[in-house]
């Protein structure tokens, strides 16, 4: 992959290529970056949009911020770390048949100081091919005081109620599975409730779309003409199951879906307060009925932060993110 620290959205990855062990390189993403951090407070005010000049808030990293890895420039760390079991299988007494391996992951991370908060932005690439974008909020609580109905008592007694708020994080993923321009996006549901049977329901998005999370629902980006050795389309699955699913007022319509699929336009960079000319202002407005030939996926993951005494300075990191998994990229387990 390549990376660049952009003024508007901070660390931006481009030309992300996955090479399975013993396999050929596979194009995955043309570019990937944060697209907004929307922070509305529970009393109704304030309502921050933290992206717009994130690159200018990048924190210079020390060697201690990048254990076991290498700093690239001042603001980016590239490192590897353990991720627990890759697999485990009993051999029933046959040591040759017994399988156990520890997995590793490659991490590309950067940090940003935005007001009182600091954010750690990670791109985690597992040796199973998975990609996990995640954002950690740390630094200090903003110290926003509110009434007991909208906050939690912080410090001694019940004098200071720290206002609860949401961190609504948007990522923009411009997939290029195999070739540049014939990607498709599908949504999968598993119908049946209160019954023994589940039936798979596949929806192919022909035009730009907003979608919401549902239990068991997931999406995938595929190139229908790029096949693995089993002649199944190469695809990347998107799981967004950890969101608090914040839903805001009508003038924050961008909060009303968990995943957007839009046709590629270079000037559609941020999910809200998009600063580029010749484009709309927010991701919900990018969805305008265009036919999808070069889809861009926007993922919205929300975390509702109710402060606690443990958040006293420095605040422990709380993480939010989603998962991208290879689905039929290789015909076998890539790391047996
Ligand atoms: Cu918070």
């Amino acid at each position: 992959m390549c990376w660049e620290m952009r003024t508007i959205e901070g660390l931006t990855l481009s030309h992300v290529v996955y090479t399975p062990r013993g396999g050929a390189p596979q194009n995955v993403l043309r570019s990937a970056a944060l697209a907004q951090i929307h922070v509305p407070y529970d009393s109704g005010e304030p309502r921050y949009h933290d992206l717009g000049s994130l690159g200018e808030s990048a924190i210079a990293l020390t060697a201690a911020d990048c254990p076991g890895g290498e700093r690239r420039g001042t603001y980016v760390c590239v490192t590897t770390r353990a991720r627990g079991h890759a697999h485990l299988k009993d051999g029933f007494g046959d040591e040759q048949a017994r399988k156990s391996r520890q997995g590793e992951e490659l991490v590309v991370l950067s940090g940003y100081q935005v007001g009182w908060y600091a954010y750690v932005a990670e791109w985690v690439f597992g040796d199973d091919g998975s990609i996990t974008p995640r954002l950690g909020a740390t630094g200090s609580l903003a110290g926003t005081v509110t009434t007991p109905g909208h906050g939690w008592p912080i410090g001694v007694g019940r004098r200071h109620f720290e206002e609860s708020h949401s961190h609504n994080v948007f990522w923009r993923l411009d997939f290029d599975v195999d070739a540049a321009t014939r990607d498709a996006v599908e949504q999968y549901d598993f119908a049946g409730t209160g019954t023994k049977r589940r039936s798979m329901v596949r929806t192919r998005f022909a035009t730009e779309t907003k979608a919401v999370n549902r239990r068991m629902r997931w999406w995938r980006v595929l190139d229908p003409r790029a096949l693995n050795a089993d002649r199944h389309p190469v695809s990347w699955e998107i799981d967004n199951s950890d969101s608090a699913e914040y839903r805001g007022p009508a003038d924050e319509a961008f909060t009303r879906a968990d995943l957007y699929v839009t046709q590629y336009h270079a000037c559609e960079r941020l999910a809200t307060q998009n600063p580029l000319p010749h484009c709309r202002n927010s991701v919900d407005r990018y969805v305008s009925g265009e036919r999808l030939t070069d889809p861009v996926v926007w993922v919205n993951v929300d975390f509702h932060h109710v402060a606690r005494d443990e958040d006293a300075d420095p605040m422990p990191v709380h993480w939010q993110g989603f998962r991208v998994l290879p689905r039929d990229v290789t015909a076998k387990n890539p790391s047996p």
Side-chain angles (χ1 to χ4, degrees), residues 117 137 141 165 167 303 305 315 318:
Y117 269 83
L141 285 169
H165 54 274
H167 298 260
F303 171 71
H305 185 193
M315 178 167 59
H318 52 80

Side-chain angles (χ1 to χ4, degrees), residues 30-270:
R30 180 158 61 194
S31 81
L34 281 167
Q36 193 49 272
I37 308 169
H38 174 235
V39 189
Y41 279 69
D42 278 22
S43 73
E45 296 295 337
R47 313 181 77 75
Y48 298 115
H49 298 251
D50 283 344
L51 263 69
S53 55
L54 193 67
E56 292 172 357
S57 311
I59 297 172
L61 300 177
T62 66
D65 296 323
C66 194
E70 285 174 29
R71 282 169 290 162
R72 305 288 165 94
T74 312
Y75 303 112
V76 178
C77 162
V78 180
T79 190
T80 53
R81 64 188 178 202
R83 63 172 185 90
H85 272 91
H87 54 251
L88 172 64
K89 183 182 169 184
D90 199 342
F92 303 104
D94 178 352
E95 279 306 304
Q96 296 296 316
R98 189 180 196 283
K99 301 281 185 199
S100 178
R101 199 177 69 76
Q102 293 295 304
E104 274 198 316
E105 56 195 20
L106 171 74
V107 185
V108 182
L109 75 87
S110 54
Y112 307 91
Q113 186 70 44
V114 181
W116 288 102
Y117 269 83
Y119 290 110
V120 180
E122 285 191 350
W123 292 90
V124 182
F125 299 89
D127 58 359
D128 56 355
S130 62
I131 304 172
T132 307
R134 62 177 199 157
L135 187 77
T138 177
S140 307
L141 285 169
T144 308
V145 181
T146 188
T147 54
H150 299 301
W152 195 267
I154 294 297
V156 178
R158 294 176 61 81
R159 288 194 302 273
H160 174 111
F161 286 82
E162 181 78 21
E163 188 166 343
S164 305
H165 54 274
S166 292
H167 298 260
N168 303 329
V169 181
F170 293 77
W171 283 266
R172 177 188 185 276
L173 302 180
D174 179 9
F175 282 90
D176 271 354
V177 181
D178 194 49
T181 56
R182 53 186 189 203
D183 288 352
V185 181
E186 293 172 341
Q187 173 173 281
Y188 285 82
D189 286 294
F190 297 83
T193 179
T195 62
K196 290 182 176 173
R197 295 160 71 92
R198 295 280 175 279
S199 301
M200 189 167 75
V201 181
R202 178 179 62 199
T203 309
R204 171 93 47 109
F205 295 148
T207 57
E208 294 177 314
T209 304
K210 343 179 163 183
V212 294
N213 289 334
R214 223 182 250 172
R215 300 288 176 196
M216 289 196 242
R217 172 176 281 181
W218 46 269
W219 299 271
R220 71 167 180 165
V221 183
L222 69 154
D223 180 335
R225 284 188 281 178
L227 306 180
N228 71 4
D230 285 345
R231 297 190 303 282
H232 299 146
V234 165
S235 73
W236 293 86
E237 174 179 333
I238 299 164
D239 295 333
N240 180 10
S241 55
D242 297 337
S243 177
E245 297 177 22
Y246 178 91
R247 300 290 184 246
D251 63 350
E252 291 175 350
F254 56 86
T255 62
R256 293 184 172 185
D258 305 297
L259 182 127
Y260 297 85
V261 185
T262 63
Q263 175 69 5
Y264 173 83
H265 288 290
C267 63
E268 292 174 352
R269 297 256 297 263
L270 294 188

